Amino acid sequence: MNGRMTSGSEPLDVVLGGGLPRNAIVLVMGAPGAGKTIFAQQWVFANATPDRPALYLSTVSEPLEKILRYGQLLSFFDPAAVGRSVWYEDLGGTLREQGLPGVLERVRELIRVKQPAMIVIDSFKATHAYAGSRSGAFRAFLHDLAGMLSAFPATSMWIGEYQEDEIPRSPEFAVADAIIGLKSVHSAERTSRALQVHKLRGGGFLAGSHSYRLSADGFTVYPRLADPADAKDYDLLGERIPSGIHALDDMLEDGYWSGSSTLVAGPTGIGKTLMGLHFVSYAVGRGDAAIIATMQEDPAQLERTASQFGWSVKTDNLTVMYRSPVDLNVDQWVYELLDLIETTGASRVLLDSLGDLQAAAPDELRFREYLYSLLHRSSRHGTSLMMTYELPELSGVSKVSDVAVSHMADNVVLLQYRGLTGPMSRTLTVLKTRAANHRSGVREFQLTADGIVLVPAQPLNDFEAGQGAPQV
């Protein structure tokens, strides 16, 4: 039997470096409503068997009847397992009448009779109040309980409404072999949930904060994306293919590398989404799978726009992943997109737009981590990614180095308006192509029934365009 057991959530097992340690004491901390009880019950029902049962002990924090009533609303809760492989016991009366010594004796008796492989105490922190005035009473109880559990081959989970500043002060944290913290994170008007492993003896784990969500299916974790899934070398395809956008292909000369990323930056209404539709429609026309991951327009709006140019987003090999930017969980969004890329084998993805994704991220560092991993994992799949980003300036952009992932993207395309005081026109500039050549200069383009088309004229120089070449 290996040294780890599943937490009941495969992604959480990844965070834990393979699962929870066996025959250890695991302390799960967090404020009320953080999901500690759901965490514990999901773990119990994922592992308990009649031969290796679980013992779930409630104290005085929450009545056992309430734990059972709400537990039955969860999809993993198995009523047939109760009394066979999962045993519930209320220690509240014992704690009130006999104090900590009575609890110790009752736990010892239950272990002798039930022979559990798992023991949950919910809430462990509530036992502090019954230590009395005698100095060291709680430490003596803790010492005896930990010694009893260490002598018996069982994994224990202690749940408590602890705060992070209690870790160095409360003695139970020194006894625990693993410490898992659950908390709410507030960013502007958004609130998200975050899990962090503070301690895990006998193995490695993924450091940092990991997003999670609670639902009828229990505890779902989205491990923090910070590095490529596989850091080993991999072969890049040496294939140069058209973008499918004639105006852009004229500037790229030999096309672009498959599996590369392209950032299209420009003001509102300039044609960024249309360029993205060009991009994915070309792949669909070749019989390849493609994905539109949008927070800008829902499928009905996209279909209306695409139909004006003879395209449709309602095709078998084109998947539209629309998510509202109002309540967007970025961690969940990234994993859903990566899963779609894997399952569909998409050769191209349009991400519309980075601005919405950036606004939903808890901070700038995490936003860059998400995109770094997304770009690298897409490249490993040979999936080409086009990302749109809205600029506040209509024209005269001097640099895009501060724009999202301009330094990470393989190709950077800038769209601007020209002639704001008179007849307006649209211009296109290719600022960057990694490992390839491109035509420099500012070119005028038009939106026609055929999509984006360059105006048949000589490239404008910087003086004629009335704007300098932006810095990447």
Side-chain angles (χ1 to χ4, degrees), residues 414-416 418 425-429 442-445 467:
L414 175 64
L415 307 181
Q416 296 184 90
R418 184 170 62 91
S425 60
R426 293 174 167 87
T427 64
L428 179 154
T429 308
V442 181
R443 293 294 303 273
E444 184 178 336
F445 71 91
Q467 53 194 31

Side-chain angles (χ1 to χ4, degrees), residues 187-376:
S187 176
E189 299 299 320
R190 301 173 187 268
T191 300
S192 58
R193 300 177 185 272
L195 174 148
Q196 184 173 0
V197 180
H198 295 278
K199 174 183 179 181
L200 185 61
R201 287 185 178 136
F205 58 88
L206 296 184
S209 182
H210 309 274
S211 177
Y212 72 93
R213 280 196 163 182
L214 304 177
S215 68
D217 293 324
F219 205 90
T220 304
V221 180
Y222 305 99
R224 169 175 169 256
L225 287 172
D227 299 300
D230 184 356
K232 298 190 298 291
D233 289 338
Y234 60 99
D235 294 328
L236 288 171
L237 296 177
E239 184 183 11
R240 300 293 295 277
I241 57 178
S243 69
I245 309 159
H246 297 308
L248 185 56
D249 288 336
D250 285 347
M251 302 286 284
L252 292 177
E253 295 185 355
D254 296 327
Y256 73 105
W257 295 106
S258 59
S260 64
S261 56
T262 302
L263 173 67
V264 179
T268 183
I270 195 71
K272 301 184 297 297
T273 300
L274 177 59
M275 183 169 283
L277 288 173
H278 255 297
F279 180 71
V280 295
S281 295
Y282 180 82
V284 171
R286 295 178 60 191
D288 294 340
I291 298 170
I292 299 176
T294 177
M295 291 145 276
Q296 288 284 306
E297 300 179 68
D298 61 34
Q301 293 171 317
L302 278 175
E303 178 64 20
R304 181 177 59 190
T305 301
S307 64
Q308 298 178 31
F309 301 94
W311 306 319
S312 175
V313 298
K314 298 178 179 179
T315 59
D316 292 338
N317 51 347
L318 177 60
T319 303
V320 177
M321 190 182 108
Y322 171 72
R323 299 293 182 269
S324 169
V326 176
D327 186 28
L328 185 69
N329 183 302
V330 182
D331 298 84
Q332 181 178 358
W333 180 91
V334 171
Y335 274 97
E336 288 178 350
L337 178 56
L338 290 172
D339 183 61
L340 268 180
I341 293 173
E342 180 76 29
T343 56
T344 64
S347 66
R348 295 189 179 191
V349 174
L350 166 63
L351 198 170
D352 190 20
S353 75
L354 284 181
D356 292 316
L357 201 63
Q358 188 173 21
D363 56 59
E364 182 66 24
L365 177 60
R366 290 296 296 275
F367 173 65
R368 291 178 181 273
E369 288 179 349
Y370 298 137
L371 287 175
Y372 178 80
S373 292
L374 178 60
L375 265 59
H376 276 266

